[in-house]
Amino acid sequence: MIQRKTQTSEYWQQQFKVSHKDIENIYQQVLEQNRPVDLNDIAIVLVRRQCNEEELQVRSEFQDGKLYQPSNSYNVDEKLVFPALNFATGTVTQTRSGQHPDFGNFTVITVNFGNGSTKDFVANFTHEHRLNTDQEQGLASLQGLVPPDEIYQEYQDVICNRIRAALEAHSDFVSVNDKYFLADLLTEFHEGLFNIADAAIDINKGPLATDALVEQMGLVESPDQITDLMRFSVNYRLDSDERFEDVGPEGQVLWYLERMAPPEAYYPPRRLQMRRQEYDASDFDADLFALLSEIDDEATPADEAELPDENARRVTVVINYPHWRVGTLPLTPKMLPFFPKSYHNPVRFQFVDGRTGEKFPGWTVFDHKYVFGLDDWYKKNKLPVGAYITVRSGKDPMEVIVEFQNTRGQRDWVRMVTITGNRLSFQMTPAAIGCKYDELMIIGDTSPESTDKFWLTAEDRNRSVFDLLCEVFPELSKLNPQSTVHAKTLYSAVNVYRRTAPGVVFQELISRQCFIPMNHGYWTYDPSLRDK
């Protein structure tokens, strides 16, 4: 099988570069279409062009000479093509007799490849050899190649990243959300028009689409006069103006004002920020490994988390202390299908209270894997840490319905966190809970502001997860007659102190002698073994 470079993984992943000629071709592609061109369209045309050029080169080289095969005879001055040498061509300059004790007599030909480079090859070699195929079979082996479109799908990320980097380094091109156009051909606008856009969004108290802003700015008399180039030019100018932020989902541009967006849309709350900590899930037993997917934590890798169900109409998650405190939801793999998202920017959408129909703004922050905007809703409904929150899609793709299962204010015994001296303490206290919850993760907190101060102190002291476990374990074990504590409960309690992934907590449990496993995810603690 004759393999060309464009058919290899090595070429696209390691050797592929965007050449000056490629830039010229992309320039011509955009100029000919006279409209913004998507990066995917640019990339697929480039891949097709490179594959086609190599095809033409190979065919031309076969036409220029005879395909070298050891079984054939060759004469001086005859031109040969060598597929095994990347289709190098050379001319036979000499022939002589050769002999081998195992293979008998054959001919040795000397081939000049130019620049003084010569090599010897066998001819009239009748024994089996992988190159002994006739010329038509050799040409046929060039067929059955992977099509350019499939090559692009296989290496799309690396190809697009390199094209993107090359175009962004070139002043002739401008881009918005991976669409490219020529800087010299952008539509010009008066600066005052963007003050009008600012005022329009402010009055609307919500995002506006590009077409709506074009009309507000008086650039057209009717919507049907809006062109792709006009949309792109306006989007480019707005994207370059620090007042404006695109808060639309993939495939849709919605402009908002930076001053109207909450900081949490761009900067993760400190409560959600996590120090880098490693663990090896292959060390976990079946119980702990199952808990990784059972606990709804965005820090759990996708291959260890609960997978999304394509047919699911709703999804339920359990909130931990950090998410409860700042009014967020974890953006886990099973949650992703229910929220509008973008890989370029945070997305503003509408939460809808499933019980009352009340609407309030929410933000999908894909980069940091959380959804923001539920603080007031948590407080109004008096939801505790460990509450089950159900999410489902609304009729409008920019609306997400959020709800909980009401239990009509039943009184339950709940782990209540308090501050005692310089330590967190847990007590079982009767409390009115108005929703269904995970009994292993529920934590009540009647004074979260005091807990925040304690948390900040723990953060500043940079206490290890092991130290935190040793501190909370006795507090939690005293609440159980058997003095055992479930791994999920330990995870929930440690997260009051410090944002920690479940896998990191589990790694400490299995690595320290003082933590002793029982059955079904429960553990005991022997402080005498702490330092061993």
Side-chain angles (χ1 to χ4, degrees):
M1 175 64 181
I2 299 172
Q3 190 174 43
R4 291 175 287 182
K5 67 179 183 180
T6 56
Q7 293 286 305
T8 66
S9 172
E10 180 183 13
Y11 174 73
W12 294 110
Q13 293 185 336
Q14 301 176 22
Q15 301 171 357
F16 167 64
K17 295 180 180 179
V18 181
S19 66
H20 180 70
K21 181 181 178 182
D22 290 326
I23 292 291
E24 291 180 347
N25 285 325
I26 294 170
Y27 188 101
Q28 193 63 32
Q29 179 184 353
V30 176
L31 191 64
E32 289 175 356
Q33 296 189 27
N34 194 30
R35 61 174 177 81
V37 181
D38 191 88
L39 176 61
N40 288 309
D41 294 335
I42 292 172
I44 188 60
V45 169
L46 184 150
V47 173
R48 289 171 182 164
R49 185 187 303 115
Q50 290 206 4
C51 290
N52 290 340
E53 287 176 353
E54 191 171 32
E55 173 77 19
L56 292 174
Q57 178 187 356
V58 170
R59 291 183 179 277
S60 173
E61 288 172 344
F62 271 112
Q63 291 171 358
D64 290 342
K66 182 183 294 185
L67 182 71
Y68 166 71
Q69 294 160 309
S71 61
N72 289 346
S73 299
Y74 302 104
N75 299 317
V76 173
D77 294 332
E78 193 165 6
K79 192 171 184 180
L80 303 180
V81 178
F82 295 81
L85 300 179
N86 200 25
F87 300 100
T89 59
T91 303
V92 179
T93 59
Q94 182 182 347
T95 66
R96 58 185 173 84
S97 298
Q99 197 273 338
H100 189 278
D102 293 331
F103 300 114
N105 297 325
F106 51 84
T107 302
V108 178
I109 61 173
T110 300
V111 179
N112 187 347
F113 291 95
N115 298 322
S117 174
T118 62
K119 289 186 178 182
D120 289 341
F121 300 87
V122 298
N124 297 317
F125 188 81
T126 59
H127 299 276
E128 288 188 8
H129 195 285
R130 63 186 181 88
L131 297 180
N132 273 337
T133 178
D134 62 39
Q135 184 157 330
E136 288 188 3
Q137 288 176 329
L139 287 171
S141 69
L142 290 172
Q143 308 308 314
L145 301 172
V146 179
D149 290 22
E150 291 185 20
I151 291 174
Y152 173 63
Q153 291 300 322
E154 178 72 19
Y155 307 108
Q156 179 176 355
D157 288 344
V158 65
I159 292 171
C160 283
N161 285 339
R162 292 181 188 174
I163 295 175
R164 185 186 294 112
L167 294 180
E168 289 178 355
H170 206 288
S171 60
D172 285 343
F173 297 92
V174 292
S175 68
V176 177
N177 291 349
D178 276 347
K179 288 185 180 294
Y180 289 83
F181 197 61
L182 302 176
D184 291 343
L185 299 182
L186 286 174
T187 305
E188 295 292 334
F189 302 104
H190 186 274
E191 183 62 33
L193 294 175
F194 296 94
N195 294 331
I196 295 175
D198 184 312
I201 297 171
D202 200 350
I203 293 170
N204 187 60
K205 299 187 184 304
L208 286 174
T210 306
D211 285 14
L213 288 175
V214 167
E215 293 184 65
Q216 291 283 343
M217 295 160 71
L219 296 174
V220 294
E221 295 181 359
S222 62
D224 57 5
Q225 295 177 326
I226 302 175
T227 64
D228 287 344
L229 177 54
M230 182 177 292
R231 291 187 186 95
F232 182 90
S233 298
V234 170
N235 285 337
Y236 179 74
R237 282 295 310 273
L238 291 172
D239 191 52
S240 303
D241 190 319
E242 62 182 14
R243 291 174 293 175
F244 301 95
E245 299 285 351
D246 176 16
V247 296
E250 254 340 84
Q252 184 179 359
V253 178
L254 295 172
W255 290 105
Y256 201 51
L257 297 176
E258 188 272 340
R259 66 175 183 271
M260 296 174 66
E264 292 84 357
Y266 299 94
Y267 310 102
R270 189 173 172 185
R271 269 288 191 181
L272 297 185
Q273 295 176 24
M274 195 177 312
R275 294 180 179 88
R276 184 176 179 82
Q277 296 167 322
E278 303 293 340
Y279 68 89
D280 187 353
S282 65
D283 295 336
F284 300 165
D285 62 20
D287 287 336
L288 287 181
F289 193 83
L291 291 178
L292 283 178
S293 62
E294 185 177 321
I295 295 174
D296 299 302
D297 195 307
E298 73 277 14
T300 300
D303 58 349
E304 297 167 8
E306 183 177 347
L307 297 176
D309 182 350
E310 295 181 359
N311 300 317
R313 296 185 177 181
R314 63 186 67 210
V315 64
T316 299
V317 297
V318 178
I319 51 173
N320 62 27
Y321 193 97
H323 283 289
W324 172 83
R325 190 68 187 98
V326 296
T328 52
L329 284 173
L331 200 54
T332 60
K334 71 177 184 180
M335 291 274 280
L336 277 173
F338 293 86
F339 288 92
K341 61 182 179 295
S342 170
Y343 302 102
H344 300 285
N345 51 260
V347 177
R348 187 184 187 275
F349 62 94
Q350 289 287 318
F351 272 121
V352 181
D353 188 321
R355 296 172 62 247
T356 67
E358 176 190 1
K359 296 182 180 181
F360 50 98
W363 294 82
T364 306
V365 187
F366 179 81
D367 284 349
H368 299 290
K369 299 183 179 180
Y370 66 85
V371 180
F372 175 74
L374 290 162
D375 187 33
D376 290 340
W377 189 74
Y378 287 165
K379 292 176 180 176
K380 181 180 70 174
N381 293 291
K382 299 180 180 179
L383 301 177
V385 174
Y388 289 116
I389 308 298
T390 299
V391 168
R392 55 189 173 94
S393 301
K395 293 182 179 179
D396 186 322
M398 295 301 289
E399 291 184 350
V400 177
I401 300 171
V402 60
E403 53 198 347
F404 61 93
Q405 293 180 314
N406 195 315
T407 56
R408 299 181 181 178
Q410 67 185 34
R411 294 188 68 83
D412 292 333
W413 288 90
V414 175
R415 288 178 216 92
M416 196 70 66
V417 62
T418 58
I419 307 297
T420 303
N422 293 321
R423 300 170 65 92
L424 281 183
S425 178
F426 292 91
Q427 303 288 337
M428 294 301 290
T429 305
I433 305 297
C435 68
K436 287 192 174 182
Y437 55 86
D438 186 324
E439 293 183 358
L440 295 172
M441 288 186 60
I442 187 169
I443 291 177
D445 190 353
T446 58
S447 182
E449 293 79 10
S450 298
T451 308
D452 285 346
K453 295 178 182 178
F454 180 84
W455 160 70
L456 285 171
T457 301
E459 283 283 284
D460 293 339
R461 291 170 59 190
N462 193 25
R463 300 185 63 192
S464 69
V465 175
F466 174 58
D467 284 341
L468 298 179
L469 276 169
C470 291
E471 187 165 312
V472 301
F473 213 123
E475 286 293 322
L476 296 169
S477 63
K478 72 184 181 183
L479 307 180
N480 187 331
Q482 288 77 37
S483 297
T484 58
V485 185
H486 197 276
K488 286 176 67 174
T489 307
L490 290 166
Y491 156 80
S492 188
V494 166
N495 271 273
V496 178
Y497 278 94
R498 173 176 169 181
R499 182 71 184 93
T500 309
V504 175
V505 173
F506 299 167
Q507 190 78 59
E508 292 292 337
L509 290 177
I510 66 173
S511 302
R512 309 286 185 165
Q513 292 186 37
C514 56
F515 303 126
I516 304 166
M518 307 300 284
N519 294 324
H520 309 299
Y522 282 89
W523 295 71
T524 60
Y525 172 60
D526 184 347
S528 68
L529 299 175
R530 174 171 177 169
D531 297 326
K532 294 185 178 181

